[in-house]
Amino acid sequence: MKILIVDANHSERQELEHMVQKLGHETLTASNGEEGFAIWRTEGPRIVIANRDMPVINGLELCHQIRGAEGSRYTYIMILTANDDTEVVVNALDSGADNYLTRPCSLAELKAKLGVGERIVEIESRDTVIFAISKLVESRDYETGHHLERMRHYTRLVAEYLYDNNIYREHVNSSFIENIYLTSPLHDIGKVGIPDHILLKTDRLDDQEWEIMKTHTIIGYDTLMATCNYQLKTDYLQMGAEIALSHHEKWDGTGYPHGLVGNEIPVSARIVAIADVYDALVSKRVYKNAYPHGVSRAIIINSTGKHFDPVIVEAFQALEKQFVEIHQRYR
Ligand SMILES: [Fe+2]
Ligand SMILES: [Fe+2]
């Protein structure tokens, strides 16, 4: 990671630069806030360490300037101080800094605090990438509107309900809840690999076209699993892949692509299945009008044990008010 160090004191700047390099990072340096801001603009480092006390533009002012100009690409900023008086620290955080370093700082402290910065920057990049991919899918699919936004809210709602009621605890924990929120919008990512004349066809698909359409599950799975090889933390991508693969499986084994039965279907995909069908029912699509909630609810309940996991249907019934609210909020 590229890290910008802004400090007017030459020897102290050099010392910090060596420490940062020792931790395996690339460094950029500036001797005052003005120069620092210019370098930040052109080089775009994601982490900045700035001395609080500098002539012309001090560290706090630099912090203000970066926050005002950074847009949606977050910069993690640490302020370097001579002491850690509460007032000094509060002042730094108030100016928009994320953390502070007190001189002299040890390599261990610097490593730990840079680690926090890296994690924050990484999470932001992850969320942005997932959002961008989801939007790509949306751009090619007729199920547009806020379908994907609603999906993440429905699925998180159900996951939270299962967690709170101790259901499927071997699968559903706090990272499951976060991951399903993050990756349920990717369920149809494989549709980018389906030819337009099939994906966008408004008439009924013939048998051969339908077989091709079904492969969006496998294309999505393969794409996301291939991405796993390039990431260190892949639990969310793995969940995205299992959702992409299994969101059309049915509890009684009549779904696709593998005809999985009951508990063979990942819990995440079982949750996405019910959310996806409910949303399709209550929304207008090119081939159908929107059904009222009551009708959609009855269709879901009728499919208990056939299409859907009975336990998840129970959760849906307990949460139906919130389902209606989510649908109305993201219309
Ligand atoms: Fe699908
Ligand atoms: Fe969908």
mmCIF file of all heavy atoms in Angstrom, residues 5 13 66 103 140 149 189 191 238 240 243 249 252 258 271 289 323:
data_model
loop_
_atom_site.group_PDB
_atom_site.id
_atom_site.type_symbol
_atom_site.label_atom_id
_atom_site.label_comp_id
_atom_site.label_asym_id
_atom_site.label_seq_id
_atom_site.Cartn_x
_atom_site.Cartn_y
_atom_site.Cartn_z
ATOM 1 N N ILE A 5 3.543 10.435 3.850
ATOM 2 C CA ILE A 5 3.985 10.991 5.133
ATOM 3 C C ILE A 5 4.235 12.487 4.947
ATOM 4 O O ILE A 5 5.043 12.886 4.098
ATOM 5 C CB ILE A 5 5.289 10.309 5.604
ATOM 6 C CG1 ILE A 5 5.060 8.793 5.764
ATOM 7 C CG2 ILE A 5 5.785 10.910 6.919
ATOM 8 C CD1 ILE A 5 6.339 7.983 5.843
ATOM 9 N N ARG A 13 10.823 12.868 9.639
ATOM 10 C CA ARG A 13 10.111 12.344 8.465
ATOM 11 C C ARG A 13 10.830 11.104 7.907
ATOM 12 O O ARG A 13 10.228 10.099 7.583
ATOM 13 C CB ARG A 13 10.021 13.439 7.391
ATOM 14 C CG ARG A 13 9.105 13.083 6.238
ATOM 15 C CD ARG A 13 8.953 14.258 5.298
ATOM 16 N NE ARG A 13 10.171 14.565 4.581
ATOM 17 C CZ ARG A 13 10.751 15.769 4.536
ATOM 18 N NH1 ARG A 13 10.216 16.786 5.166
ATOM 19 N NH2 ARG A 13 11.855 15.959 3.849
ATOM 20 N N ILE A 66 -8.471 17.295 2.652
ATOM 21 C CA ILE A 66 -8.630 15.971 2.037
ATOM 22 C C ILE A 66 -10.080 15.520 2.150
ATOM 23 O O ILE A 66 -10.683 15.064 1.173
ATOM 24 C CB ILE A 66 -7.671 14.936 2.689
ATOM 25 C CG1 ILE A 66 -6.227 15.264 2.308
ATOM 26 C CG2 ILE A 66 -8.028 13.512 2.245
ATOM 27 C CD1 ILE A 66 -5.179 14.353 2.946
ATOM 28 N N ARG A 103 4.537 10.795 19.045
ATOM 29 C CA ARG A 103 6.000 10.685 18.944
ATOM 30 C C ARG A 103 6.612 10.430 20.298
ATOM 31 O O ARG A 103 6.166 11.055 21.269
ATOM 32 C CB ARG A 103 6.560 12.013 18.402
ATOM 33 C CG ARG A 103 6.469 12.089 16.921
ATOM 34 C CD ARG A 103 7.815 12.576 16.389
ATOM 35 N NE ARG A 103 8.061 11.958 15.114
ATOM 36 C CZ ARG A 103 7.744 12.514 13.948
ATOM 37 N NH1 ARG A 103 7.171 13.685 13.913
ATOM 38 N NH2 ARG A 103 8.006 11.892 12.839
ATOM 39 N N ARG A 140 -28.203 -5.313 -17.439
ATOM 40 C CA ARG A 140 -28.530 -6.236 -18.529
ATOM 41 C C ARG A 140 -29.822 -7.002 -18.292
ATOM 42 O O ARG A 140 -30.208 -7.838 -19.089
ATOM 43 C CB ARG A 140 -27.395 -7.262 -18.696
ATOM 44 C CG ARG A 140 -26.204 -6.702 -19.402
ATOM 45 C CD ARG A 140 -25.435 -7.807 -20.080
ATOM 46 N NE ARG A 140 -26.124 -8.341 -21.226
ATOM 47 C CZ ARG A 140 -26.274 -9.637 -21.469
ATOM 48 N NH1 ARG A 140 -25.816 -10.523 -20.639
ATOM 49 N NH2 ARG A 140 -26.880 -10.044 -22.557
ATOM 50 N N GLU A 149 -31.429 -3.881 -4.332
ATOM 51 C CA GLU A 149 -31.410 -3.195 -3.031
ATOM 52 C C GLU A 149 -32.386 -3.891 -2.069
ATOM 53 O O GLU A 149 -32.074 -4.127 -0.903
ATOM 54 C CB GLU A 149 -31.821 -1.725 -3.262
ATOM 55 C CG GLU A 149 -31.565 -0.808 -2.085
ATOM 56 C CD GLU A 149 -30.104 -0.745 -1.670
ATOM 57 O OE1 GLU A 149 -29.232 -0.760 -2.545
ATOM 58 O OE2 GLU A 149 -29.858 -0.712 -0.452
ATOM 59 N N ILE A 189 -25.691 -12.851 -11.089
ATOM 60 C CA ILE A 189 -24.525 -12.329 -11.808
ATOM 61 C C ILE A 189 -24.235 -13.141 -13.078
ATOM 62 O O ILE A 189 -23.770 -12.619 -14.081
ATOM 63 C CB ILE A 189 -23.284 -12.266 -10.888
ATOM 64 C CG1 ILE A 189 -22.108 -11.675 -11.646
ATOM 65 C CG2 ILE A 189 -22.921 -13.605 -10.320
ATOM 66 C CD1 ILE A 189 -20.822 -11.662 -10.893
ATOM 67 N N LYS A 191 -26.140 -14.069 -15.246
ATOM 68 C CA LYS A 191 -26.949 -13.653 -16.403
ATOM 69 C C LYS A 191 -26.151 -12.812 -17.396
ATOM 70 O O LYS A 191 -26.556 -12.680 -18.540
ATOM 71 C CB LYS A 191 -28.190 -12.889 -15.931
ATOM 72 C CG LYS A 191 -29.279 -13.822 -15.403
ATOM 73 C CD LYS A 191 -30.548 -13.073 -15.115
ATOM 74 C CE LYS A 191 -31.619 -14.041 -14.600
ATOM 75 N NZ LYS A 191 -32.800 -13.304 -14.134
ATOM 76 N N GLN A 238 -17.347 -16.717 -1.267
ATOM 77 C CA GLN A 238 -17.844 -18.095 -1.277
ATOM 78 C C GLN A 238 -19.344 -18.130 -1.054
ATOM 79 O O GLN A 238 -20.055 -18.902 -1.688
ATOM 80 C CB GLN A 238 -17.110 -18.931 -0.228
ATOM 81 C CG GLN A 238 -15.812 -19.457 -0.810
ATOM 82 C CD GLN A 238 -14.867 -20.029 0.217
ATOM 83 O OE1 GLN A 238 -15.221 -20.183 1.380
ATOM 84 N NE2 GLN A 238 -13.668 -20.328 -0.213
ATOM 85 N N GLY A 240 -21.353 -15.693 -1.875
ATOM 86 C CA GLY A 240 -21.897 -15.176 -3.140
ATOM 87 C C GLY A 240 -21.985 -16.290 -4.177
ATOM 88 O O GLY A 240 -22.975 -16.431 -4.899
ATOM 89 N N ILE A 243 -24.759 -18.812 -3.332
ATOM 90 C CA ILE A 243 -26.070 -18.213 -3.619
ATOM 91 C C ILE A 243 -26.328 -18.228 -5.125
ATOM 92 O O ILE A 243 -27.403 -18.604 -5.589
ATOM 93 C CB ILE A 243 -26.144 -16.769 -3.069
ATOM 94 C CG1 ILE A 243 -26.249 -16.787 -1.541
ATOM 95 C CG2 ILE A 243 -27.324 -16.008 -3.675
ATOM 96 C CD1 ILE A 243 -26.158 -15.420 -0.887
ATOM 97 N N GLU A 249 -32.609 -23.787 -6.555
ATOM 98 C CA GLU A 249 -32.882 -25.132 -6.042
ATOM 99 C C GLU A 249 -34.182 -25.079 -5.241
ATOM 100 O O GLU A 249 -34.553 -24.030 -4.717
ATOM 101 C CB GLU A 249 -31.738 -25.599 -5.128
ATOM 102 C CG GLU A 249 -30.378 -25.735 -5.815
ATOM 103 C CD GLU A 249 -30.305 -26.939 -6.772
ATOM 104 O OE1 GLU A 249 -31.313 -27.672 -6.909
ATOM 105 O OE2 GLU A 249 -29.241 -27.124 -7.390
ATOM 106 N N ASP A 252 -37.930 -29.596 -2.343
ATOM 107 C CA ASP A 252 -38.322 -30.979 -2.671
ATOM 108 C C ASP A 252 -37.438 -31.610 -3.757
ATOM 109 O O ASP A 252 -37.714 -32.707 -4.239
ATOM 110 C CB ASP A 252 -39.801 -31.026 -3.091
ATOM 111 C CG ASP A 252 -40.080 -30.238 -4.368
ATOM 112 O OD1 ASP A 252 -39.115 -29.708 -4.984
ATOM 113 O OD2 ASP A 252 -41.258 -30.149 -4.756
ATOM 114 N N HIS A 258 -28.731 -28.541 -9.786
ATOM 115 C CA HIS A 258 -28.343 -29.889 -9.361
ATOM 116 C C HIS A 258 -29.452 -30.700 -8.722
ATOM 117 O O HIS A 258 -29.220 -31.835 -8.306
ATOM 118 C CB HIS A 258 -27.142 -29.804 -8.404
ATOM 119 C CG HIS A 258 -25.904 -29.246 -9.053
ATOM 120 N ND1 HIS A 258 -25.422 -29.705 -10.259
ATOM 121 C CD2 HIS A 258 -25.057 -28.255 -8.674
ATOM 122 C CE1 HIS A 258 -24.332 -29.025 -10.597
ATOM 123 N NE2 HIS A 258 -24.099 -28.132 -9.657
ATOM 124 N N ILE A 271 -32.636 -18.717 1.762
ATOM 125 C CA ILE A 271 -33.166 -17.394 2.122
ATOM 126 C C ILE A 271 -33.344 -16.536 0.864
ATOM 127 O O ILE A 271 -34.379 -15.891 0.666
ATOM 128 C CB ILE A 271 -32.212 -16.674 3.119
ATOM 129 C CG1 ILE A 271 -32.122 -17.472 4.419
ATOM 130 C CG2 ILE A 271 -32.671 -15.248 3.380
ATOM 131 C CD1 ILE A 271 -31.080 -16.943 5.409
ATOM 132 N N ASN A 289 -48.347 -8.570 -14.110
ATOM 133 C CA ASN A 289 -48.599 -7.431 -13.230
ATOM 134 C C ASN A 289 -48.141 -7.762 -11.824
ATOM 135 O O ASN A 289 -47.859 -8.911 -11.507
ATOM 136 C CB ASN A 289 -50.101 -7.124 -13.217
ATOM 137 C CG ASN A 289 -50.485 -6.291 -14.429
ATOM 138 O OD1 ASN A 289 -49.720 -5.421 -14.849
ATOM 139 N ND2 ASN A 289 -51.651 -6.580 -14.989
ATOM 140 N N PHE A 323 -41.368 -7.159 5.324
ATOM 141 C CA PHE A 323 -41.206 -7.406 3.890
ATOM 142 C C PHE A 323 -41.980 -6.345 3.095
ATOM 143 O O PHE A 323 -41.480 -5.786 2.120
ATOM 144 C CB PHE A 323 -41.692 -8.821 3.510
ATOM 145 C CG PHE A 323 -40.582 -9.841 3.495
ATOM 146 C CD1 PHE A 323 -40.041 -10.309 4.681
ATOM 147 C CD2 PHE A 323 -40.076 -10.341 2.301
ATOM 148 C CE1 PHE A 323 -39.009 -11.250 4.680
ATOM 149 C CE2 PHE A 323 -39.049 -11.286 2.276
ATOM 150 C CZ PHE A 323 -38.519 -11.733 3.473
#
